[in-house]
Amino acid sequence: VRKLIAGNWKMNGLKAALAEAAKMAEMVGDGNGADVLICPPFTLIGALAEELDGSAIRVGGQDCHVVESGAHTGDISAHMIADMGGNYCIVGHSERRADHGEDDALVKQKAEAVLRAGLTPIICVGETREEREAGKAGDVVSAQLAGSLPDSGQYVVAYEPVWAIGTGLVPTLEDIAEIHTLVRSKVGSKTRILYGGSVKPSNAEEILTVANVDGALVGGASLKADDFYGIYSAI
Ligand code: PGA
């Protein structure tokens, strides 16, 4: 499968960040190496889709509501993201699971809403430090997959150990391989499985060559064109 390098800007980015994205598009060029995606805050989706129109970089959301429209103040639907020119939407990121109490059942409903809008969901799973230290990483990820994956449709899975996000800590390549092999056994050969958690230019090459790693979900290092391109060019 063709690799996917996805940037998750989280709650970062004012209008000035559009210029950084334009620089990324210039560096990525025709995107021969891999698919490239940026998921900016909702406020920038429309402008970024316009800015990147005709480039190799796609645009996505970081979350969505489970229904298409209605009385849900402050929420955004997957249809709205599609309408703004988005192609993907992240669901079940550990920050949403922690900050907003999102559970597997809700994440599954969100993934299905993304599919109904004609977009590709990126479904995040991953264990906490306590769960890894207790030897439960595989069980936790298996349970999250069982509860969060839609029953059908094309989706992407992102394995993001919670303790590796934004910390500079990364699992050993053996540990990444073990979980990715486990995920592969549940999702089949056509589903892309991304690794996420402290990916940067200096570790991207070794991570991206681990078996069953089909790309990366990148937080901090996706905010600067030089870093993001450094990860893309590690492929
Ligand atoms: P990080 O975030 O690359 O800053 O660790 C990854 C993520 O949360 O998707």
Side-chain angles (χ1 to χ4, degrees):
V1 279
R2 190 170 152 86
K3 285 190 167 36
L4 169 64
I5 304 297
N8 171 13
W9 283 6
K10 308 191 178 183
M11 197 173 74
N12 297 291
L14 301 176
K15 281 184 283 183
L18 297 173
E20 198 68 18
K23 189 175 161 195
M24 291 176 195
E26 204 170 296
M27 294 172 97
V28 163
D30 59 10
N32 264 336
D35 290 344
V36 186
L37 167 70
I38 297 174
C39 298
F42 291 134
T43 47
L44 289 181
I45 289 177
L48 197 62
E50 258 177 54
E51 181 76 45
L52 298 178
D53 188 33
S55 84
I57 304 185
R58 302 275 82 82
V59 175
Q62 299 173 9
D63 176 52
C64 67
H65 197 274
V66 301
V67 300
E68 193 175 327
S69 63
H72 302 285
T73 302
D75 280 316
I76 302 283
S77 75
H79 282 75
M80 292 170 176
I81 296 169
D83 188 48
M84 287 289 101
N87 295 103
Y88 290 80
C89 186
I90 297 169
V91 294
H93 190 281
S94 63
E95 288 154 15
R96 301 269 340 154
R97 291 178 185 260
D99 295 354
H100 300 272
E102 297 194 5
D103 62 10
D104 291 332
L106 181 67
V107 173
K108 177 175 178 172
Q109 282 184 289
K110 290 188 174 194
E112 287 169 345
V114 174
L115 288 166
R116 278 197 303 277
L119 309 182
T120 303
I122 300 177
I123 302 154
C124 303
V125 296
E127 82 286 355
T128 63
R129 178 194 298 280
E130 295 71 38
E131 289 162 345
R132 172 152 294 272
E133 282 170 0
K136 291 189 189 140
D139 290 346
V140 167
V141 169
S142 293
Q144 288 175 330
L145 291 172
S148 313
L149 296 183
D151 297 325
S152 61
Q154 277 279 111
Y155 52 81
V156 175
V157 172
Y159 168 56
E160 300 203 303
V162 178
W163 53 273
I165 294 174
T167 58
L169 302 173
V170 175
T172 64
L173 300 182
E174 290 71 27
D175 287 342
I176 294 174
E178 188 184 332
I179 300 289
H180 278 247
T181 301
L182 170 74
V183 177
R184 175 69 67 215
S185 73
K186 315 267 181 195
V187 301
S189 62
K190 292 205 187 88
T191 299
R192 290 198 277 202
I193 309 170
L194 312 183
Y195 168 78
S198 296
V199 177
K200 49 190 183 232
S202 59
N203 63 18
E205 187 174 351
E206 56 178 21
I207 291 171
L208 289 167
T209 47
V210 171
N212 293 310
V213 173
D214 304 314
L217 182 53
V218 184
S222 72
L223 296 170
K224 289 270 163 285
D226 290 336
D227 290 341
F228 197 47
Y229 180 73
I231 292 166
Y232 167 82
S233 59
I235 287 177

Coordinates of all heavy atoms in Angstrom, one line a residue, residues 8-14 17 40-41 44 62 223:
N8 N -1.3 16.4 12.0 CA -2.4 16.8 12.9 C -2.0 18.0 13.6 O -1.2 18.0 14.5 CB -2.7 15.6 13.9 CG -3.6 16.0 15.0 OD1 -4.3 17.0 14.9 ND2 -3.7 15.2 16.0
W9 N -2.6 19.2 13.2 CA -2.1 20.4 13.8 C -2.7 20.7 15.2 O -2.4 21.6 15.9 CB -2.5 21.6 12.9 CG -1.6 21.7 11.7 CD1 -0.6 20.9 11.3 CD2 -1.6 22.8 10.7 NE1 0.0 21.4 10.2 CE2 -0.6 22.5 9.8 CE3 -2.4 23.9 10.5 CZ2 -0.3 23.4 8.7 CZ3 -2.1 24.8 9.5 CH2 -1.1 24.5 8.5
K10 N -3.7 19.8 15.6 CA -4.3 20.0 16.9 C -4.9 21.5 17.0 O -5.3 22.0 16.0 CB -3.4 19.6 18.0 CG -2.8 18.3 17.8 CD -2.0 17.7 19.0 CE -1.5 16.3 18.6 NZ -0.8 15.6 19.7
M11 N -4.8 22.1 18.2 CA -5.4 23.4 18.3 C -4.3 24.5 18.1 O -4.0 25.3 19.0 CB -6.0 23.6 19.7 CG -7.0 24.8 19.7 SD -7.9 25.0 21.3 CE -6.6 25.5 22.4
N12 N -3.7 24.3 16.9 CA -2.6 25.3 16.5 C -2.9 25.8 15.1 O -3.3 25.0 14.2 CB -1.2 24.5 16.5 CG -0.9 24.0 17.9 OD1 -0.6 24.8 18.8 ND2 -0.9 22.7 18.1
G13 N -2.6 27.0 14.9 CA -2.7 27.6 13.5 C -3.7 28.7 13.4 O -4.9 28.5 13.6
L14 N -3.1 29.9 13.1 CA -3.9 31.0 12.7 C -3.8 31.2 11.2 O -3.1 30.4 10.6 CB -3.5 32.3 13.5 CG -3.5 32.1 15.0 CD1 -2.9 33.4 15.7 CD2 -4.9 31.9 15.5
A17 N -0.6 30.5 9.3 CA -0.1 29.2 9.1 C -0.4 28.7 7.6 O 0.2 27.7 7.2 CB -0.8 28.2 10.1
P40 N -5.9 20.6 9.8 CA -5.8 21.8 10.6 C -7.0 21.9 11.5 O -7.9 21.1 11.5 CB -5.8 22.9 9.5 CG -6.8 22.3 8.5 CD -6.6 20.8 8.6
P41 N -7.0 22.9 12.4 CA -8.3 23.2 13.2 C -9.4 23.5 12.2 O -9.1 23.9 11.1 CB -7.9 24.4 14.0 CG -6.5 24.8 13.7 CD -5.9 23.9 12.7
L44 N -9.6 26.5 9.8 CA -8.7 26.7 8.6 C -9.0 25.7 7.5 O -8.3 25.8 6.5 CB -7.2 26.6 9.1 CG -6.6 27.7 9.9 CD1 -5.2 27.4 10.2 CD2 -6.7 29.1 9.2
Q62 N -10.2 17.0 12.4 CA -9.6 16.3 13.5 C -10.7 15.6 14.4 O -10.3 14.9 15.3 CB -8.9 17.4 14.4 CG -7.8 18.1 13.7 CD -7.2 19.2 14.6 OE1 -7.5 19.3 15.8 NE2 -6.3 20.0 14.0
L223 N 3.9 21.0 12.1 CA 3.6 22.5 12.1 C 4.6 23.3 11.3 O 4.3 24.4 10.9 CB 3.5 23.0 13.5 CG 2.4 22.4 14.4 CD1 2.6 22.8 15.8 CD2 1.1 22.9 13.9

